[in-house]
């Protein structure tokens, strides 16, 4: 069975204040694709996330911020036109200052992650994009981003967007908590990467 999902992961937004040459991030039309301010840690513009998943995402992201200083912004947009997901994620990260609140020299400076979802419709391919700030690039690498992506794929294929995004946030939270040396059980106990973890863990799946 073919899968109408375009899945892309790339450490993207390195020292946001040093990339003014990326014109897409300054494009007024691009900035109109998303709200000027986030609606918490989850900004569900496409309205595809169920209430239970939304509450769990908000709670987990809030705990992560309190424990590590790192921030996760989960964003769903109904469409992004001809823009590349990388450009949209970059614009969101810069406009909202995701993870950019630490002072110079603070290890949590630019410790932010943007998870961008564009749901699949009859007229467009679904897209998921994970963008990392410089402060977490040593923790969330290309390889670990791929593992997070694999966790999300089964639910994405079923268009279960809330559970898919929750799995993504769980994966990010476990990696960042461990990377920052935090042992908060609320962040690390339900590790979706543990093969013996029951219930919520989903196996890696290759794109068919």
């Amino acid at each position: 069975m073919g899968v109408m999902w375009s899945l892309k992961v790339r450490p993207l937004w390195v020292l946001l204040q040093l990339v003014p040459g990326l014109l897409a991030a300054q494009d007024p039309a691009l900035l109109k694709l998303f709200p000027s301010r986030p609606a918490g840690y989850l900004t569900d513009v496409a309205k595809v996330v169920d209430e239970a998943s939304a509450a769990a995402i908000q709670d987990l992201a809030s705990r992560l911020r309190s424990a590590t200083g790192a921030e996760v912004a989960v964003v769903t947009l109904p469409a992004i036109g001809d823009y590349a997901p990388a450009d949209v994620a970059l614009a969101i990260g810069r406009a909202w200052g995701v993870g950019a609140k630490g002072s110079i020299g603070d290890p949590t400076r630019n410790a932010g992650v943007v998870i961008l979802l564009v749901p699949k419709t009859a007229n467009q391919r679904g897209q998921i994009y994970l963008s990392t700030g410089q402060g977490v690039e040593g923790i969330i690498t290309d390889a670990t981003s791929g593992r997070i992506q694999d966790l999300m794929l089964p639910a994405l294929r079923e268009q279960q967007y809330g559970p898919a995004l929750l799995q993504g946030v769980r994966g990010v939270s476990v990696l960042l908590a461990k990377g920052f040396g935090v042992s908060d059980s609320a962040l690390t106990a339900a590790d979706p990467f543990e093969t013996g973890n029951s219930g919520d863990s989903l196996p890696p799946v290759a794109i068919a």
Side-chain angles (χ1 to χ4, degrees):
M1 178 185 297
V3 178
M4 293 296 291
W5 276 94
S6 174
L7 296 155
K8 303 178 181 179
V9 178
R10 183 184 308 158
L12 155 72
W13 117 75
V14 179
L15 288 178
L16 301 180
Q17 67 271 28
L18 298 181
V19 289
L22 291 173
L23 298 179
Q26 303 172 358
D27 184 344
L30 187 157
L31 296 177
K32 291 180 181 179
L33 292 175
F34 56 89
S36 59
R37 298 173 62 88
Y41 295 102
L42 168 67
T43 302
D44 184 22
V45 181
K47 300 187 184 304
V48 293
V49 181
D50 60 281
E51 291 185 7
S53 296
I57 289 169
Q58 296 277 21
D59 179 68
L60 193 55
S62 177
R63 286 177 176 273
L64 180 68
R65 176 68 178 85
S66 296
T68 68
E71 294 181 333
V72 178
V74 182
V75 187
T76 74
L77 298 177
I80 58 174
D82 294 329
Y83 290 103
D87 292 335
V88 180
L90 171 61
I92 291 169
R94 294 188 69 186
W96 294 355
V98 181
K101 296 180 177 61
S103 59
I104 296 175
D106 187 330
T108 65
R109 183 174 176 82
N110 291 320
V113 177
V114 174
I115 302 176
L116 172 64
L117 168 75
V118 181
K120 182 176 67 175
T121 69
N123 300 316
Q124 73 178 8
R125 180 185 298 271
Q127 299 188 81
I128 187 77
Y129 197 94
L130 179 65
S131 167
T132 60
Q134 187 186 44
V136 300
E137 284 182 351
I139 301 170
I140 300 182
T141 63
D142 285 347
T144 53
S145 292
R147 293 178 67 197
I148 294 169
Q149 181 174 274
D150 285 340
L151 290 172
M152 302 172 71
L153 261 176
L156 288 174
R157 286 171 168 163
E158 299 299 322
Q159 299 184 44
Q160 296 178 358
Y161 299 121
L165 290 170
L166 179 55
Q167 280 290 74
V169 174
R170 282 175 174 160
V172 168
S173 296
V174 165
L175 291 173
L176 292 184
K178 291 180 177 179
F180 281 100
V182 171
S183 58
D184 184 341
S185 61
L187 297 174
T188 60
D191 187 342
F193 300 112
E194 292 290 341
T195 56
N197 194 359
S198 62
D200 297 321
S201 183
L202 296 172
V205 176
I207 301 174

